[in-house]
């Protein structure tokens, strides 16, 4: 599949979809508390996306996924299925939201702390976010995908964390997952060159321990092999001639400035 370059009309729809996905993360924040189940978080998000936003939760029935959002707790790396398990003090949880509005997808995720995180979990979560921000900051037409991956890898490995290899960011638009694949490790100057009008996600999964993962019997939930914790943050990005636009920026975030 060739990489699609979005027209101005499509970009406007991507902005709307991205903003709606970001709004779901803002809305859910006060509900992420100890004692609540991930299944209840899913219900709240479903209601909000369908009734308030008049949008579609993209994960629901996507390749058989049974819920509207992904909730990945502690050593779960990604694609956790919301269910009956209650959140407890000290948990870290990634909530991953993808909405479809007017035919276009917006995809974003963030980490939440349940109560007070341990210092090592807090450092992991902050380093993963900083890795994502640094990677976004270098984006403009003409750089290579390998520049993005290597920026994340260099930063997080300097903190002795590891980068998950089996899952990656992706082109996004009319389809949930389009070309290119955006891996979170690599070599500068290698891979596809970015062109203005590309839209893709960056969504590094970073582990406290070893990078190795395994898939649970539910065929969705990815966990670390060593059962140490993992963090992930995701934004949907538009490439422009001179830089980038973060289509899923939340109001609780500092804007991401272009690298000087
Ligand atoms: N939102 C995830 C991503 O960032 C994909 C979830 S697929 C699902 O690409 F089926 F698990 F929802
Ligand atoms: Co994604
Ligand atoms: Co996502």
């Amino acid at each position: 599949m060739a990489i699609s370059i979005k027209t101005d009309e499509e970009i406007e729809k991507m902005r709307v979809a991205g903003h709606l996905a970001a709004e779901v993360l803002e809305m859910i924040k006060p509900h992420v508390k100890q004692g609540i189940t991930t299944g209840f978080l899913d219900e709240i998000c479903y209601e909000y996306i369908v009734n308030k936003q008049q949008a579609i939760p993209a994960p629901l029935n996507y390749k058989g996924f049974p819920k509207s959002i992904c909730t990945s707790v502690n050593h779960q790396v990604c694609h956790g299925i919301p269910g009956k398990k209650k959140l407890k003090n000290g948990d870290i949880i990634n909530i991953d939201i993808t909405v479809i509005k007017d035919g276009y997808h917006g995809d974003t995720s963030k980490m939440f702390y349940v109560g007070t995180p341990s210092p090592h979990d807090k450092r992991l979560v902050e380093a993963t976010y900083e890795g994502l921000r640094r990677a976004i900051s270098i984006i403009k037409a003409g750089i290579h995908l390998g520049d993005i991956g290597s920026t994340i890898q260099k930063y997080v490995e300097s903190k002795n964390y590891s980068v998950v290899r089996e899952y990656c960011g992706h082109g996004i638009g009319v389809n949930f997952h389009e070309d290119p694949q955006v891996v979170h490790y690599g070599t500068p100057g290698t891979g596809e060159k970015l062109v203005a009008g590309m839209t893709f996600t960056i969504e590094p999964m970073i582990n406290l321990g070893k990078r190795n993962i395994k898939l649970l019997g539910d065929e969705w939930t990815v966990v670390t092999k060593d059962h140490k914790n993992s963090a992930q943050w995701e934004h949907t990005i538009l490439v422009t001639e001179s830089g980038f636009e973060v289509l899923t920026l939340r109001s609780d975030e500092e804007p991401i400035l272009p690298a000087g």
Side-chain angles (χ1 to χ4, degrees), residues 96 98 107-108 168-170 172 176-177 201-203 232 234 236:
D96 192 339
T98 312
D107 188 7
T108 185
C168 58
H170 49 91
I172 182 168
F176 198 160
H177 297 105
T201 73
I202 308 178
E203 48 183 296
Q232 180 179 30
E234 174 177 27
T236 299

Side-chain angles (χ1 to χ4, degrees), residues 179-246:
D179 280 343
Q181 295 198 12
V182 182
V183 301
H184 306 110
Y185 58 91
T187 309
T190 66
E192 202 84 40
K193 253 193 196 179
L194 303 192
V195 174
M198 285 182 182
T199 51
F200 55 79
T201 73
I202 308 178
E203 48 183 296
M205 286 140 277
I206 306 300
N207 296 349
L208 212 44
K210 295 206 163 61
R211 69 174 179 84
N212 310 75
I213 50 121
K214 62 182 185 193
L215 186 62
L216 293 189
D218 63 18
E219 300 211 13
W220 280 106
T221 311
V222 178
V223 299
T224 57
K225 224 171 201 170
D226 61 14
H227 280 213
K228 292 190 178 172
N229 282 352
S230 185
Q232 180 179 30
W233 295 77
E234 174 177 27
H235 271 311
T236 299
I237 309 296
L238 165 70
V239 179
T240 66
E241 258 342 305
S242 61
F244 58 87
E245 212 177 293
V246 180

Side-chain angles (χ1 to χ4, degrees), residues 13 16 27 36 52 59 78 96 98 121 145 190 203 213 224 231:
K13 291 179 181 180
V16 172
M27 177 280 298
I36 202 174
K52 181 101 196 263
C78 64
D96 192 339
T98 312
D121 283 342
L145 280 177
T190 66
E203 48 183 296
I213 50 121
T224 57

Side-chain angles (χ1 to χ4, degrees), residues 149-159 163 184-186 188:
S150 71
T151 298
I152 294 166
Q153 184 179 18
K154 258 188 219 136
Y155 182 73
V156 304
E157 287 184 353
S158 78
K159 310 253 176 215
V163 179
H184 306 110
Y185 58 91

Side-chain angles (χ1 to χ4, degrees), residues 14 16 23 37 41 60 64 93 102 104 112 120 125 161 165 168 174 179 192 195 202 204 209 215 237 243 255 260:
M14 291 293 294
V16 172
E23 273 186 347
T37 67
L41 296 175
L60 190 58
I93 177 177
D102 210 358
Y104 286 80
F112 296 86
H120 64 271
V125 166
Y161 302 131
R165 307 285 178 107
C168 58
V174 168
D179 280 343
E192 202 84 40
V195 174
I202 308 178
L215 186 62
I237 309 296

